[in-house]
Every structure is written in structure tokens, then in C-alpha cells.
Amino acid sequence: MTDGVPLRLRAAATIALTMLLSACASVPADMAASSPGTVANATAAAGPTSPPAALPDTGAAAVSAAIQAGEPTEPAVPTAVAEPPVDPLRPDVRIDLDDRTVHTDLWQRVRNGFGIADLDDTFVRNRERFYASRPDYVQRMAERGGRYLFHIVEEVEKRNLPSELALLPFIESAFNPEAISHMRASGMWQFMPATGRDFELTQNVFRDDRRDVLASTRAALDYLTRLHDMFGDWHLALAAYNWGEGNVQRAIKRNQKAGRPTDYSSLKMPAETRDYVPKLQAVKNIVANPGAFALTLPELQNHPYFLSVPIARDIDVAIAARLAELPLDEFRALNPQMNKPVILAAGTPRVLLPYDNASIFVKALEQHKGPLASWTAWVAPTSMKTALAAQQLGMSEAELRDVNRIPPRMVIKAGSTLVVPRSAHRQADVSEHVADNATIALAPDAPALRRVVFRAGNRGDSVAAVAQRYRVSTAQVAQWNNVGTATRFTAGSTVVVFVPARAAKAAPARKATAAKVATGNAAARKR
């Protein structure tokens, strides 16, 4: 802090002046775009995002807005005086550094917007005790959430929704945008694959928008709004978000038929859903008065943590992180939707960067010499073995299988999109159609494979441990279960492996469990 003004805001306020004095009054072509990638714009888009358009030279003020908000503004008369910075999530609003809201604690802003009726029962008390007894966990969760909370609060307020909804990722994922549940829900808002598709969250070879910070927030608030419109009650809407709207509707009808109340506390529901709203209430109570629980929340300033910066060319994830002077894990924390080592501009036309790194990235990108992407996409013209595909592509079979998570002894089906190195005749950026619709389909090369299903142990099993137990590769286990190679399966979650039909005795301690799961699956299919 300097003179009561956050350093990040001071830095942002000088971007326009710096760019003017350095004779950089126009954004480089590689950085020009017409969409800031905000949730509001994502909601307005009826289809795939178009590639960024060129940004005209409009002077220092417009450059500042373009860098921070990702949108062109009306031409301005060049001036040596830096104009106020622009809120990247509300480009039409100028940030007044003397405005009291800039100095407001973000937690207080959340408190001011509470609007859901309180619950006060033993379930809430139990969850309060749970969090109060784990101060380190609460601290880590709150610090991680600090990256995203300002943006979510902004979107909640735009829609005139209660601010408690901004706290929902605390109980969904502990604000981990890469979280994956044992039911395959993903992202900080924990969207199931089908629900994500219902809300236009693309899930393909290159990206999973259930993990995209902006897109998933837009989708979650769309879904919660729809549920509230359906039930007319936030407790029931939240129950439906967790349990499914059909289940809540059936529970209400059962109570109506029996002449019982139909409020949240009166419905018969699974233990997880029964505990869901009390969890949110407990987090709300802690945010409202952390001292009452002997907890301290990290300080969060009431200004954006990140900016949305447009890109116009495909770029490797590692190169983008390096140009922004960010550790790779920090870059991925803000851009966790990437499934591959390359970002396709046609499908992901912007990256999120911390306030201080956005202008660094813009300048470094302008000065960068050489290719930005070393990877591209290749669509298999016909079904083929990985060895033949690798030979055609001029790469090793091991590298092809590794980057595309293809297990051994699998055939690539025609029409599958693979990530491959760029070459002299593969230099063009990936098209919008491929970026938004890329899929990969595999078939066993040797039909004598047996599917084994079991549940992870009480302490969970890592992908590496499962691979070692069944004498297969970690890439195979990751591909079969649609997870990363470093994943640890949640205790009790279903794990799938394929082994040669003659090798059916791996993990004898889990043999009975696998048999039970297989039997249960067969019974479920019959129903």
C-alpha cells in the first residue's frame, strides 16, 4: 500500500502513460481482440467465440482499456496524462482511486450482500465446529479463493443475486478449479459432464470449460438463477444444484401427497444434500464473524486479482507463462481449463493473468521472436494404429501416446483429433471448428482385454499406484478414468482398468470389491 492506494491499482493506472511514452500507442496485432471474455459476454454469446479482431490505434487511454479489459474503446485524443484504470470486468466503469469502494475489504462487500434466509440447527453447528477445528484448512481455502472471489462477487451483484452464492465454491471444491469428484464432476463449481454441456461448457480434447474460471462462473449463476425461478426458494434451489432438480421436485411431491411441509428442512434427501445448505450457512457465519470461531480470514482487497488479456495466435502454455513471468502452476491456476500443452486462440481467445503480470505479458508478446506454438492439431483421416500415425507425423510412438493419453494396444479411430508437433507443412493455427469440436475415439487393438472395475480404498488410490498394481502405464489408467496422471482417486470412487483376459488376478485384496461393483453395475443396467 502507498498513500492508501493499492500498488496494483497504481501500476494499472500508469499503463496508459507508460505505453504512450514508450511509443507503444497501439496494441500489437497478436494481442488485439473485441471480447474481454467476461461472464457477461460469455452469456451473450450464442455459439463458439469468434477469433479476435484487430484493434485500431486509438491512443494511450484506449490501449490501457484494451490491455486491462480486452475491449476496444472509442478513439481518444493522445495525452501525456494517464487516465483512470478500467475495471476489466466492467469496461464501461472507470476506477476512481479515491473512491471508498476501492479500499473496501472484499469480505465486507460480501457481508453487505447477504440475502438468503438463515438456517439455525444442529447441522449448521456441526459444520461450524468442523471448520473451526481446522484453521489451516480454512486459511488455505480462503487464500486460494482470493484469486477468484472478486470476479464472482462482481457477477453475482450484476445479476442482483444474494452474495452467499459467491461462497458456494468453498463447499463445492474448496475453490480448487481443477477439482474432480468421484462422480466426475469438475471445476470449482463442480459441473457434471452432461450439466456442463447443457450450459454450453465445452469439453473436448483441448479444453474443459467446466474448469474455466469465467465460463464456469457464468454457467453456475445461470443454473442457480434457473433453479431459483423454478422453486422460488434459495434453499430448495441449492438442494437442486447438489441433488438435481428432478429429485427435489419428486421429494416435494411426496411431501405434498403426505400433507407435510415442502421446505428444505422438511424434505427427505440424501445425507450429502441434507448437509449442503448447512455447510454454506456455516461458511456464511464464519465470513460474517470469523473472530467468533477463533478464525482469521486473509485480507482481500476490493479490486480484481486478474485481468482478461486477449490472444490472437495459438501459444504454448509454457511460453505464455514465461512471457507473463509467472510460475507454471500459477498460470494454470487462472487458466485451468487447458487439457493440452497448447492454447488454441480460436477456442480460448483470452488468458487470465494477475494484475501485475498483464502488461508484462503484452509487452513481452510484442517483442517475442520465433514461433509461439510448438503444437497443433491433426485429424486422423482413417482408423490406424498409433505406430503408423506416429510414422506419418514424424514423431515417436511413445511421444504420440503420451501427449494424447493413448494407452498401448489401442487403435485411433478415423476423425479423431490428436495433438502433434508443428512442422514445416503444419504451421497454421488450429481452426475454430477443430478447436471447439475436437474428440478422440479409441478401440482396443487386441480384443482379448478384460475390463476390471473396483473401488478405491479408504485412503484413496493414486493413478500411479493402480498402474503399478495392474502392471499398466499411468497414462493408460488416466485415459481409462478421464483423470490426470497425478490424480489420487477419492476413497470409494469407481476405478476402471483393462487387462489381458489371462491376467485377471491383480490386486487380490480388491477382487471381491471389484466383483461386487461389476455385479451392481449389471443390476443397474437391468433396471
Side-chain angles (χ1 to χ4, degrees):
M1 298 287 289
T2 304
D3 299 328
V5 178
L7 288 176
R8 286 178 176 168
L9 287 178
R10 280 189 179 274
T14 62
I15 287 178
L17 180 58
T18 302
M19 297 293 281
L20 180 64
L21 295 180
S22 60
C24 296
S26 63
V27 175
D30 283 356
M31 290 303 301
S34 61
S35 170
T38 65
V39 167
N41 288 338
T43 304
T49 306
S50 300
L55 181 68
D57 183 349
T58 55
V63 170
S64 177
I67 292 173
Q68 298 182 62
E71 279 197 349
T73 62
E74 293 298 321
V77 178
T79 174
V81 179
E83 294 191 10
V86 176
D87 183 336
L89 304 175
R90 294 184 298 173
D92 56 319
V93 177
R94 299 280 174 172
I95 297 176
D96 181 358
L97 296 180
D98 294 323
D99 185 357
R100 60 181 179 82
T101 60
V102 171
H103 309 287
T104 302
D105 174 19
L106 184 56
W107 296 116
Q108 186 58 48
R109 184 177 175 186
V110 173
R111 296 177 193 118
N112 293 343
F114 285 160
I116 298 177
D118 287 332
L119 281 182
D120 188 7
D121 55 27
T122 57
F123 293 102
V124 175
R125 301 287 87 75
N126 287 338
R127 300 318 301 177
E128 288 174 343
R129 285 192 292 271
F130 174 87
Y131 291 123
S133 66
R134 294 164 174 80
D136 292 343
Y137 170 69
V138 172
Q139 182 75 12
R140 288 194 305 272
M141 184 169 61
E143 288 177 350
R144 185 162 54 225
R147 293 187 181 105
Y148 319 108
L149 191 58
F150 177 89
H151 169 69
I152 298 173
V153 171
E154 285 280 289
E155 291 305 314
V156 164
E157 289 184 354
K158 283 182 190 178
R159 298 165 181 248
N160 294 316
L161 299 175
S163 63
E164 288 95 331
L165 300 183
L167 304 176
L168 201 57
F170 280 119
I171 66 172
E172 282 288 347
S173 63
F175 262 110
N176 177 5
E178 298 188 74
I180 301 176
S181 77
H182 68 278
M183 295 295 290
R184 302 293 183 264
S186 184
M188 73 168 70
W189 294 96
Q190 289 291 280
F191 272 95
M192 294 291 287
T195 309
R197 286 189 289 272
D198 287 345
F199 286 89
E200 301 179 356
L201 296 178
T202 298
Q203 301 156 61
N204 65 20
V205 167
F206 291 98
R207 72 185 198 270
D208 187 342
D209 285 348
R210 295 178 298 161
R211 301 194 303 265
D212 184 291
V213 174
L214 303 184
S216 67
T217 298
R218 181 269 305 162
L221 297 182
D222 284 351
Y223 189 22
L224 287 162
T225 300
R226 190 181 83 177
L227 292 171
H228 183 259
D229 291 343
M230 181 182 297
F231 294 104
D233 177 273
W234 278 115
H235 293 162
L236 295 178
L238 290 165
Y241 189 87
N242 175 259
W243 191 23
E245 57 203 68
N247 289 322
V248 173
Q249 287 172 330
R250 285 187 286 274
I252 289 174
K253 288 179 181 178
R254 283 194 297 268
N255 276 27
Q256 288 173 334
K257 188 175 180 179
R260 293 194 293 266
T262 58
D263 60 289
Y264 174 83
S265 299
S266 300
L267 297 183
K268 184 178 180 181
M269 57 184 67
E272 178 185 333
T273 308
R274 168 63 61 214
D275 212 27
Y276 190 72
V277 177
K279 280 184 181 179
L280 182 60
Q281 181 69 56
V283 171
K284 172 183 176 179
N285 293 346
I286 289 169
V287 169
N289 188 5
F293 304 93
L295 295 171
T296 302
L297 298 177
E299 180 182 354
L300 294 181
Q301 294 294 319
N302 186 33
H303 62 74
Y305 178 87
F306 60 78
L307 303 179
S308 177
V309 182
I311 58 172
R313 300 293 307 276
D314 296 353
I315 183 171
D316 286 352
V317 171
I319 290 178
R322 177 170 58 80
L323 294 181
E325 298 184 7
L326 275 177
L328 192 58
D329 58 348
E330 175 66 11
F331 182 87
R332 289 187 181 278
L334 291 176
N335 302 277
Q337 70 272 29
M338 310 305 173
N339 288 332
K340 300 300 178 185
V342 62
I343 306 169
L344 306 184
T348 307
R350 45 92 187 116
V351 292
L352 303 185
L353 297 172
Y355 231 79
D356 298 332
N357 299 85
S359 58
I360 293 174
F361 176 81
V362 170
K363 294 174 184 177
L365 188 63
E366 182 184 34
Q367 298 167 4
H368 180 78
K369 305 298 182 184
L372 288 170
S374 57
W375 299 95
T376 187
W378 177 78
V379 180
T382 184
S383 296
M384 63 182 71
K385 295 183 179 181
T386 53
L388 178 59
Q391 183 180 10
Q392 290 188 13
L393 294 166
M395 59 190 302
S396 71
E397 182 183 4
E399 183 182 25
L400 177 70
R401 288 197 291 104
D402 180 60
V403 73
N404 291 285
R405 293 185 182 178
I406 302 175
R409 300 186 297 277
M410 300 296 283
V411 172
I412 302 164
K413 289 189 175 182
S416 293
T417 301
L418 304 184
V419 178
V420 301
R422 288 198 175 201
S423 64
H425 58 281
R426 286 193 299 271
Q427 286 295 320
D429 286 344
V430 177
S431 69
E432 182 179 343
H433 175 76
V434 173
D436 285 334
N437 298 283
T439 60
I440 183 168
L442 306 172
D445 183 21
L449 291 178
R450 189 173 74 85
R451 185 173 185 263
V452 176
V453 184
F454 64 93
R455 292 197 184 279
N458 292 335
R459 295 185 178 180
D461 289 306
S462 67
V463 167
V466 171
Q468 184 177 18
R469 185 183 310 139
Y470 284 91
R471 298 180 182 179
V472 294
S473 71
T474 54
Q476 285 178 299
V477 177
Q479 169 72 27
W480 292 329
N481 293 277
N482 193 30
V483 297
T485 55
T487 298
R488 176 173 291 276
F489 295 107
T490 305
S493 62
T494 301
V495 183
V496 176
V497 295
F498 288 88
V499 298
R502 63 181 179 276
K505 295 184 178 181
R510 304 185 190 277
K511 186 175 180 181
T513 301
K516 288 180 181 178
V517 173
T519 302
N521 289 344
R525 286 193 293 273
K526 290 178 181 178
R527 291 197 294 270

